[in-house]
């Protein structure tokens, strides 16, 4: 069976075109605007907001690149499935039911995914996407925290702290209940039995 060479596959020119377009659009227009120092009372907030937008703009092309790789994987897996089905039918062993088809397709897809993500170029594309996604989420979280404080609303970190305190208190209550139950059991075992004189 012919093996797909993903680094030289149909997706490579599309990734190069995507990178070229985004670099041209972003570097010639938005990147310089994002670096302009802000003035006034809200300069720090505006700078932080521009950093979030900058992080999103950097995330978007890497997300497209990653989706292109996933698309090629799915197309290749489907092509291999069709080849397998054709070969099985030619041997007189066609697929008989839906479960058998799903198992075959799943095993082919797993094999193609594993083969694809071992290549250096695809690891690099996935790494860039994950790094930019993490950076965007951190930037977004920081601006949301600040906005919530400005609006006098509980922020994510404050809610997380409340949840942690509730969790710790539940653990403490559970521990105290266990200690109380042990204490009551011990006291009932060793306490003198008083008989009723009446």
């Amino acid at each position: 069976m012919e093996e797909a060479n993903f680094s030289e596959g149909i997706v490579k020119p599309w990734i190069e075109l995507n990178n070229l377009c985004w670099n041209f659009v972003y570097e010639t227009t938005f990147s310089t605007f994002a670096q302009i120092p802000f003035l006034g009372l809200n300069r720090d907030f505006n700078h932080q907001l521009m950093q979030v937008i900058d992080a999103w703009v950097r995330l978007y092309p890497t997300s497209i690149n990653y989706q292109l790789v996933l698309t090629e994987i799915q197309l290749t897996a489907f092509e291999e499935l069709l080849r397998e089905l054709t070969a099985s039918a030619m041997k007189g062993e066609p697929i008989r039911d839906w479960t058998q088809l799903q198992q075959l397709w799943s095993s082919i897809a797993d094999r193609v995914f594993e083969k694809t993500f071992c290549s250096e170029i695809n690891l690099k594309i996935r790494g860039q996407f994950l790094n930019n996604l993490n950076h965007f989420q951190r930037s977004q979280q920081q601006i949301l925290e600040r906005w919530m404080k400005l609006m006098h609303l509980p922020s994510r970190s404050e809610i997380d702290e409340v949840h942690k305190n509730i969790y710790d208190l539940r653990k403490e209550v559970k521990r105290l209940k266990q200690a109380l139950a042990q204490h009551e059991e011990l006291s009932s075992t060793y306490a003198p039995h008083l008989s009723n004189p009446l």
Side-chain angles (χ1 to χ4, degrees), residues 57-128:
V57 169
R58 293 184 186 281
L59 168 66
Y60 197 76
T62 56
S63 175
I64 290 174
N65 289 345
Y66 187 61
Q67 295 303 319
L68 286 169
V69 170
L70 291 179
T71 301
E72 185 171 13
I73 291 169
Q74 291 169 356
L75 288 173
T76 305
F78 189 67
E79 287 173 3
E80 287 197 24
L81 173 68
L82 291 178
R83 280 196 290 270
E84 288 271 346
L85 291 173
T86 305
S88 296
M90 299 279 258
K91 290 180 197 172
E93 303 169 354
I95 298 296
R96 299 285 178 200
D97 59 9
W98 178 247
T99 305
Q100 194 179 358
L101 176 65
Q102 281 184 317
Q103 288 172 347
L104 178 63
W105 199 346
S106 176
S107 68
I108 290 171
D110 289 345
R111 187 172 66 236
V112 171
F113 266 72
E114 182 183 357
K115 197 166 38 179
T116 301
F117 283 122
C118 287
S119 75
E120 188 177 341
I121 187 169
N122 291 328
L123 285 172
K124 186 176 179 183
I125 288 169
R126 186 170 59 166
Q128 287 172 343

Side-chain angles (χ1 to χ4, degrees), residues 22 50-61 132 135-136:
W22 273 96
M50 289 306 293
Q51 286 180 329
V52 174
I53 295 170
D54 182 57
W56 180 84
V57 169
R58 293 184 186 281
L59 168 66
Y60 197 76
N132 286 331
H135 177 64
F136 171 70

Side-chain angles (χ1 to χ4, degrees), residues 32 115 147 165-166:
T32 52
K115 197 166 38 179
W147 182 256
N165 289 340
I166 290 171

